[in-house]
Amino acid sequence: MTSSTTDATGSTSEARKLLLLVMGSIGVVYGDIGTSPLYAFREALRPFASDGFHHFEVIGLISLMVWTLTVIVTFKYVLFLLRADNDGEGGTLALLALLMKKTGSYMPVLFFAGLIGAALFIGDAMITPALSVMSALEGLKLVAPALSGYVLPLSVVIMVGLFLVQSKGTAAVSKFFGPITVLWFLAMAWGGIIHIGDDWTILEALNPIYALWFITHAGTVGFIVLGAVFLTVTGAEALYADLGHFGRKPIQIAWFILVFPALMLNYLGQGALVLSNPAAAENPFYLMYPEWALLPVVILATMATIIASQAVITGAFSLARQAVHLGFLPRLMIKFTSETNTGQIYVPAVNALLFIGVILLILSFRDSESLATAYGISVTGAMVVTTLMAFQFLRSIWGYRVFVAGALLIPLFLIESVFLAANLLKIHDGGWVPVALALAIMLLMWTWTKGSRYIKEKTAKNDIPLETFIPMVEKPSAHAPVTVPGTAVFLTSVPDRTPAVLLHNIKHNHVLHEQNVILTIWTQDKPYVPQSERVQMTRLSKRFMRLDITFGFMEEPNVTKALSLCRKKGFKFEIMHTSFYLGRRNLISTPNTGLPRWQETLYMTLADFAIDPSAYFKLPPNRVVEIGEQVAI
């Protein structure tokens, strides 16, 4: 009896935990894709507005949107990519880290694919807040046309407030994300249900034949419309990137139980409304609702778009942290805004970059219609990159043969490539914006990676092997350095070579501590490293020890906390009698080196933005000694 009671209590607890994760995933994971009905169908109808809408054009268009959701989001992301995880973490860089760990023959291709995907995601994180918030507020024009002039300033005010609160953390606000977004999806489903009966023939859109008919008969205009159709799946990349926060099962349950049905009903309802009343094409989403519900729906839509914006901003923070740990960006200041959830972080540099980008987009495009033309390229580009990486995943991780992996993914790749081509037609209408953003971000990451590798190779030429240095420095002689009490920790990225800062310390101060630790900090290609694998100690001599501390790419590199594990393994030291020696490099530009002059300048600028290593690795600030050296680049 007691056993069954315990089992029942445990089952109830597990069910409650799962329900909370499902609710949370609805608020965070699906916030972006849940705002697409505000503008996707409206923008897809615009090219047909000049000569009116034909019955089969509307049905074919809705069919195409429904089946785009089904094939790309349901099949590719929810059922397949959520299983392509790196120890539970998802997203472009997590997948890249996994592939880099498992493969070697396609490293350059994988590297640039990962950079492109990450850069496009950052571009998406700028456009999503601007587009979704303006789309929501434009409902005010229907509530009171006199308020139309306030859409732009209100959008700016909301964005200013949203980015200002990022430093405070989202723990308190996130509790309301799920319930509000659930209410939003229910409102969308209700709006669709009350209008499907306007023209029951809209249910023919569930037949994929009509989607194929639209593609083959709509001509050039139909090809152009494909770019707007793809707006229905914006947010799918964020779905994959947030895998680590909620897990696969809650995300899948949320999609099939609420999100997918609500989106389907809403698009069907919009289509039926336009079939019965073509004038509703001006803003089919808001015109679905009765006049008394319009203002509450506008308020709810605005709240939903703010949540969607928060989701992509948080995703950009997580991506930046992954990029720093993987060596694609300089060390950036990362602040943890929650004591319990390591996923809740704030990256000031990224926050400032996104804020400037969002405000410039709002002020430049001025309405959602203009901005929507620029949106699709970043989304489709990121999805094509993910599909290419998924092909390598099937081959390298799951062991599929080339023709099997190709048979599964080539159809999807062709579909997404057609959508990308359709979006590229909008380059001159603002589509160049996400392309320029992605190229700029990719250039930054490529430059930092290339420059860091060049400096590492250059400085390695002058390194002295530790196995040669230790006997030489410990050998008694008249020129031997003076022994001083305490422990000295020398940070280096090359553990088998003598750290430059150690050589400079002996050269200038002529001293050597009683205990000397050669510390190397590693970042694994997996998100988290268990405590049992955190530290590894190797005794090199009586006075020298090698210490390796390993973190996952999703973890905070807290060296001080990790050092406490050393005591449990027998290494005794007092933190207040320990000095941490860091080398500070002063980069000097020189002609005819391994980098072009413009890339030298860019790399040195990025290096100036890097935060102090002692702050990044959480070293005791009053125990750090920095010794500078000049490095020609």
Side-chain angles (χ1 to χ4, degrees):
M1 187 74 175
T2 305
S3 176
S4 57
T5 303
T6 303
D7 291 343
T9 303
S11 299
T12 303
S13 177
E14 287 297 317
R16 184 173 181 275
K17 182 180 178 181
L18 179 61
L19 180 62
L20 290 174
L21 287 172
V22 170
M23 185 75 74
S25 69
I26 292 171
V28 176
V29 175
Y30 293 113
D32 190 1
I33 202 169
T35 59
S36 298
L38 283 166
Y39 48 79
F41 186 51
R42 181 193 71 194
E43 295 306 316
L45 288 172
R46 290 195 188 281
F48 298 103
S50 58
D51 59 350
F53 311 109
H54 299 292
H55 184 83
F56 284 107
E57 287 177 341
V58 175
I59 291 179
L61 192 56
I62 293 295
S63 180
L64 192 58
M65 299 175 92
V66 165
W67 283 97
T68 298
L69 274 172
T70 302
V71 173
I72 293 180
V73 181
T74 304
F75 292 153
K76 177 185 173 181
Y77 284 92
V78 176
L79 295 179
F80 167 48
L81 275 181
L82 289 184
R83 298 178 183 275
D85 64 293
N86 187 348
D87 288 343
E89 289 294 329
T92 303
L93 289 185
L95 184 57
L96 174 62
L98 179 62
L99 294 175
M100 288 172 66
K101 181 169 58 177
K102 295 289 185 179
T103 64
S105 55
Y106 296 95
M107 287 286 285
V109 176
L110 289 175
F111 172 74
F112 279 103
L115 291 192
I116 293 170
L120 287 169
F121 185 87
I122 296 292
D124 182 20
M126 288 185 185
I127 299 176
T128 293
L131 174 61
S132 56
V133 169
M134 282 198 291
S135 297
L137 290 174
E138 282 169 355
L140 290 173
K141 298 177 182 179
L142 301 176
V143 177
L147 296 176
S148 59
Y150 292 93
V151 171
L152 190 66
L154 276 176
S155 299
V156 172
V157 169
I158 289 174
M159 287 298 102
V160 169
L162 180 63
F163 282 98
L164 281 177
V165 301
Q166 294 304 313
S167 61
K168 308 298 181 184
T170 58
V173 183
S174 62
K175 296 177 183 177
F176 303 100
F177 281 9
I180 291 173
T181 313
V182 167
L183 185 60
W184 168 245
F185 279 113
L186 292 175
M188 285 198 295
W190 171 62
I193 289 171
I194 62 178
H195 282 286
I196 287 177
D198 292 354
D199 193 325
W200 288 105
T201 60
I202 194 62
L203 294 179
E204 295 175 350
L206 297 176
N207 187 341
I209 296 297
Y210 287 93
L212 295 174
W213 178 92
F214 180 87
I215 293 173
T216 54
H217 288 79
T220 305
V221 175
F223 185 70
I224 295 172
V225 164
L226 290 179
V229 169
F230 212 81
L231 294 175
T232 58
V233 296
T234 57
E237 280 292 317
L239 179 157
Y240 181 37
D242 285 322
L243 171 61
H245 292 284
F246 301 97
R248 182 174 72 245
K249 189 175 180 181
I251 295 175
Q252 290 177 331
I253 291 174
W255 175 254
F256 288 112
I257 296 298
L258 177 64
V259 179
F260 190 34
L263 292 172
M264 293 265 284
L265 288 170
N266 191 269
Y267 285 122
L268 290 170
Q270 289 191 49
L273 174 63
V274 171
L275 284 176
S276 63
N277 178 20
E282 178 188 354
N283 202 326
F285 179 85
Y286 281 120
L287 292 174
M288 283 195 299
Y289 298 93
E291 189 173 341
W292 62 266
L294 200 53
L295 183 58
V297 170
V298 170
I299 294 172
L300 185 59
T302 304
M303 295 172 70
T305 55
I306 292 172
I307 291 170
S309 302
Q310 177 62 59
V312 294
I313 292 169
T314 302
F317 290 163
S318 297
L319 185 140
R321 176 170 67 172
Q322 293 179 29
V324 168
H325 289 343
L326 293 172
F328 298 158
L329 288 175
R331 287 186 293 262
L332 301 173
M333 180 179 290
I334 298 175
K335 297 182 177 180
F336 288 76
T337 58
S338 170
E339 294 181 359
T340 57
N341 187 351
T342 58
Q344 293 184 12
I345 59 174
Y346 168 62
V347 186
V350 175
N351 192 63
L353 176 67
L354 292 179
F355 173 70
I356 294 170
V358 168
I359 296 300
L360 288 177
L361 287 171
I362 291 175
L363 297 179
S364 300
F365 288 88
R366 305 187 70 81
D367 59 59
S368 64
E369 178 186 346
S370 302
L371 190 54
T373 62
Y375 196 21
I377 293 178
S378 60
V379 178
T380 50
M383 287 186 176
V384 168
V385 168
T386 305
T387 300
L388 291 173
M389 296 176 72
F391 173 79
Q392 189 64 31
F393 173 86
L394 285 178
R395 293 189 57 212
S396 304
I397 311 301
W398 284 4
Y400 284 32
R401 294 183 179 180
V402 174
F403 71 90
V404 176
L408 291 173
L409 291 181
I410 285 177
L412 185 62
F413 174 76
L414 292 176
I415 291 171
E416 291 176 342
S417 296
V418 170
F419 278 118
L420 177 60
N423 276 289
L424 288 174
L425 295 176
K426 302 175 183 178
I427 285 286
H428 64 286
D429 288 329
W432 61 270
V433 173
V435 174
L437 286 173
L439 287 175
I441 294 166
M442 191 177 74
L443 183 64
L444 292 178
M445 291 192 287
W446 175 54
T447 297
W448 181 257
T449 307
K450 183 180 178 183
S452 299
R453 187 184 298 121
Y454 171 74
I455 286 183
K456 186 175 181 179
E457 292 172 353
K458 183 173 182 178
T459 54
K461 296 176 182 178
N462 300 320
D463 287 345
I464 301 174
L466 269 175
E467 59 184 18
T468 303
F469 172 79
I470 293 176
M472 181 176 62
V473 77
E474 289 186 335
K475 182 179 180 181
S477 70
H479 302 289
V482 177
T483 299
V484 294
T487 301
V489 179
F490 299 92
L491 274 72
T492 179
S493 60
V494 188
D496 59 344
R497 301 284 172 171
T498 308
V501 67
L502 172 55
L503 294 174
H504 288 305
N505 185 47
I506 292 177
K507 177 182 177 181
H508 295 289
N509 298 324
H510 309 291
V511 298
L512 187 68
H513 285 70
E514 288 177 328
Q515 289 192 108
N516 298 275
V517 178
I518 309 300
L519 171 61
T520 304
I521 300 167
W522 304 95
T523 300
Q524 286 277 34
D525 292 332
K526 56 184 181 181
Y528 301 100
V529 172
Q531 292 291 317
S532 58
E533 301 174 14
R534 178 77 69 210
V535 298
Q536 182 178 351
M537 298 182 297
T538 306
R539 175 63 67 178
L540 301 176
S541 72
K542 185 178 180 180
R543 297 175 65 181
F544 279 86
M545 174 181 287
R546 173 179 166 180
L547 178 61
D548 296 277
I549 300 179
T550 306
F551 298 98
F553 64 80
M554 290 294 289
E555 294 182 293
E556 177 190 21
N558 192 324
V559 172
T560 303
K561 187 182 295 185
L563 285 174
S564 63
L565 299 173
C566 295
R567 293 192 180 94
K568 299 178 181 179
K569 296 195 174 188
F571 178 48
K572 305 297 182 181
F573 68 96
E574 291 294 332
I575 194 71
M576 296 312 296
H577 293 88
T578 300
S579 298
F580 295 85
Y581 285 82
L582 302 178
R584 178 174 289 275
R585 286 173 176 163
N586 180 27
L587 302 178
I588 302 173
S589 178
T590 55
N592 303 320
T593 57
L595 298 177
R597 185 61 181 267
W598 66 269
Q599 208 162 28
E600 279 185 11
T601 305
L602 181 57
Y603 179 80
M604 292 169 66
T605 303
L606 287 172
D608 290 338
F609 277 99
I611 67 167
D612 190 282
S614 60
Y616 182 77
F617 292 122
K618 305 295 185 293
L619 301 177
N622 60 339
R623 304 303 307 169
V624 174
V625 179
E626 292 189 352
I627 298 178
E629 63 173 326
Q630 292 186 337
V631 178
I633 180 173

